[in-house]
Amino acid sequence: MTVSILCKAGKKNVLLMKDDNSRDGHVENTHGIPKKGKKKRGPGPRIKTLFFLWFPEGSERQAISLVSTMLLWTTAFLASLVAAQTYPPDVVDQLAAASLPKVKEWLAKNPQGNCTLETAVRRKEWMDLTLAQRKEYTNAVLCLMSKPALTSSAAPGAKSRFDDYIVVHVQQTPRNHGSVRVYTSNTYPVLISNPYADLLLTLAPLLRMALRASPSQRVWIQGISTDPANSPLFDGSEGSMGGNGAKASYNGIMIPGPYDRIPPADGGGCVTTGPFKNMTVNLGPIAPILQLTRNPRADGLGYNPRCLRRDINKNSAAVTSAKDVYDVITKNNDAHWFQTVMEGQFPQGKWGIHAGGHYTVGGDPGGDFYTSPGDPAFWLHHTMIDRVWWIWQIQNLEKRLKEVSHTRTMSNFPPSANGTLDDLSGLGVLAPDVEVRELMSTMGGLMGKFCYIYE
């Protein structure tokens, strides 16, 4: 019987198990290097070498079984390495790491109970999770999509717990965008458990475990700003957040910026690969960027089932590099300018990393200003936004944990009073009302329930 099992050893293929008729115990090189001569053996059974383990003659079945098991272990090990890739830290990562002593110094002066740098949950980039962890997250999102909605009386189109998030986002868009609540309103509902715990318990622990992926910097995966559709986040594999949409014709996104519009990329149609290939979008559209069937209700909350569509767009991602993020953090010394530059200065043709990240996903509902949380990638993007805000805050915690900006209405329309730390979150069934001041710190915020940092 001949058994040949090849593996790589540098640039050479080596035979790990030899023919039965070979009596020497040496590994044979398959590149034609002469074999060593045979050795004289004393009495006793012949032996053969297998991964440096010795087996007596006649034990081929046991040897093959062990080899098979070892190969499976090796394959699983290598797969785990691929599933948890690392990469050189970019300038934003370096800034975050260099700033941790400031956090430690602040905690020494302002103890937060049991929340310390050592006990804080460390949120990780998507590809720093194992394949199993990434699948656990996407399965949790799918689980939310299988649970009945809490908002269906006000929104007949809401069919799941997942849809509840979209309903509240639609209802609160005029007060939570371009306002004092822009960051806290998207951070709060994905971080805590509350009286409506069944809405969040499935998703929140996994978000606490790890998530901060977004095209606004390397946290989506290094290089996504140049080729997002082929990144591990959107490559359509089982460990991704689903693939790009099929190629479909549309005119792009009309928005002031480096272009008069964001040109379309290679998608725009239904997502057919990855965990969300069979997902049904129920709500909207309200402000679509694609040609879609109108919602039966003017407020977009009627039932309008259709597929998830995406156009993973490198043109939009081009304004979301690590340098763009670094500049937002380091060149804006007060909350007003940090928030203004982050969200975009559209009259000046500057999209900002917030809008740039949203339109990197595009499609439907990801490209709809009101219903964008209906694409599961929305939540990774906004966890990235939370990370950028956190890194900005820790440059001067004493000042920036108390600093908010903008008014109480979107872009101050209609005109309204300046927002304050006493304003309420206002997230309906997603979470009980708390003051904005309780949502400012990742360590000790929400009366001690927040305790996390970012890697």
Side-chain angles (χ1 to χ4, degrees):
M1 178 186 69
T2 300
V3 179
S4 298
I5 303 174
L6 295 176
C7 71
K8 290 286 185 181
K11 294 183 178 180
K12 299 177 181 178
N13 291 316
V14 294
L15 190 65
L16 296 183
M17 189 170 180
K18 295 194 64 180
D19 186 278
D20 277 349
N21 295 323
S22 172
R23 296 194 180 193
D24 65 57
H26 298 283
V27 175
E28 182 181 37
N29 189 294
T30 61
H31 279 205
I33 297 176
K35 295 183 293 184
K36 295 182 179 181
K38 295 181 180 179
K39 297 180 179 180
K40 293 182 180 179
R41 299 188 183 277
R46 292 179 294 172
I47 53 179
K48 60 186 74 176
T49 304
L50 175 66
F51 290 96
F52 301 103
L53 298 176
W54 297 92
F55 294 89
E57 185 69 22
S59 61
E60 286 83 359
R61 290 185 178 179
Q62 295 93 323
I64 292 172
S65 176
L66 180 58
V67 169
S68 299
T69 301
M70 293 177 74
L71 288 176
L72 288 173
W73 289 344
T74 302
T75 301
F77 172 71
L78 293 175
S80 70
L81 292 180
V82 171
Q85 294 178 6
T86 57
Y87 36 72
D90 63 28
V91 292
V92 180
D93 299 325
Q94 293 167 4
L95 177 62
S99 303
L100 286 179
K102 298 178 182 179
V103 180
K104 190 169 186 177
E105 180 182 354
W106 180 82
L107 286 170
K109 297 177 182 178
N110 304 274
Q112 300 298 313
N114 294 326
C115 185
T116 67
L117 280 179
E118 292 70 33
T119 62
V121 171
R122 291 177 177 263
R123 289 179 150 204
K124 301 179 181 180
E125 190 272 326
W126 181 254
M127 284 301 289
D128 282 343
L129 301 178
T130 65
L131 176 61
Q133 287 172 325
R134 284 182 272 134
K135 290 175 66 176
E136 187 178 8
Y137 174 77
T138 53
N139 285 339
V141 177
L142 292 170
C143 179
L144 280 180
M145 293 177 182
S146 72
K147 303 296 183 181
L150 298 176
T151 57
S152 54
S153 59
K159 301 300 180 183
S160 69
R161 299 280 201 277
F162 185 79
D163 287 344
D164 290 331
Y165 288 92
I166 302 141
V167 171
V168 172
H169 189 270
V170 169
Q171 293 171 335
Q172 299 297 338
T173 288
R175 69 190 292 270
N176 288 345
H177 290 76
S179 75
V180 68
R181 305 176 187 87
V182 66
Y183 301 129
T184 56
S185 64
N186 285 306
T187 299
Y188 180 30
V190 296
L191 289 174
I192 65 166
S193 301
N194 55 64
Y196 311 100
D198 57 345
L199 183 66
L200 293 164
L201 282 176
T202 304
L203 186 56
L206 294 165
L207 284 164
R208 288 199 303 268
M209 176 177 70
L211 302 176
R212 63 165 174 83
S214 168
S216 298
Q217 61 164 332
R218 176 200 51 94
V219 292
W220 279 94
I221 307 305
Q222 187 174 11
I224 192 170
S225 63
T226 57
D227 191 16
N230 291 311
S231 73
L233 187 63
F234 292 122
D235 64 9
S237 66
E238 62 177 344
S240 72
M241 287 296 291
N244 197 6
K247 180 67 175 177
S249 177
Y250 75 106
N251 294 325
I253 305 166
M254 305 306 295
I255 181 174
Y259 322 93
D260 292 332
R261 62 188 175 91
I262 303 176
D266 296 322
C270 297
V271 171
T272 60
T273 58
F276 304 109
K277 63 183 179 182
N278 296 317
M279 175 182 163
T280 300
V281 176
N282 296 319
L283 297 160
I286 298 175
I289 61 174
L290 304 173
Q291 293 296 318
L292 301 167
T293 303
R294 294 174 62 89
N295 194 279
R297 286 174 46 134
D299 61 4
L301 299 180
Y303 184 47
N304 188 23
R306 57 200 186 278
C307 69
L308 172 67
R309 297 171 184 261
R310 285 177 178 162
D311 184 24
I312 307 299
N313 197 320
K314 64 181 180 182
N315 300 307
S316 182
V319 302
T320 64
S321 68
K323 182 181 183 304
D324 293 315
V325 176
Y326 182 84
D327 287 348
V328 167
I329 295 169
T330 60
K331 293 184 177 181
N332 299 287
N333 294 321
D334 61 59
H336 170 80
W337 282 110
F338 172 75
Q339 184 171 336
T340 297
V341 175
M342 168 88 87
E343 290 195 65
Q345 298 164 284
F346 297 104
Q348 301 177 30
K350 298 177 181 179
W351 302 341
I353 59 177
H354 177 223
H358 278 297
Y359 290 125
T360 295
V361 179
D364 172 57
D368 189 310
F369 184 67
Y370 292 86
T371 60
S372 54
D375 189 314
F378 169 98
W379 300 99
L380 275 66
H381 172 51
H382 266 277
T383 312
M384 181 282 302
I385 294 294
D386 185 55
R387 182 194 187 227
V388 176
W389 183 32
W390 173 76
I391 298 173
W392 180 82
Q393 283 183 313
I394 65 177
Q395 305 310 304
N396 188 344
L397 283 163
E398 291 290 349
K399 175 186 176 185
R400 295 179 181 180
L401 286 180
K402 304 170 185 175
E403 190 175 359
V404 295
S405 182
H406 290 50
T407 66
R408 292 171 177 163
T409 52
M410 183 169 61
S411 302
N412 198 33
F413 183 80
S416 61
N418 288 333
T420 72
L421 292 171
D422 298 323
D423 288 333
L424 296 178
S425 54
L427 294 175
V429 299
L430 296 182
D433 271 346
V434 297
E435 294 178 348
V436 168
R437 71 175 68 255
E438 288 295 333
L439 306 175
M440 294 293 290
S441 177
T442 70
M443 303 189 72
L446 196 62
M447 296 154 284
K449 292 182 181 179
F450 285 180
C451 186
Y452 69 94
I453 61 175
Y454 287 97
E455 291 187 351

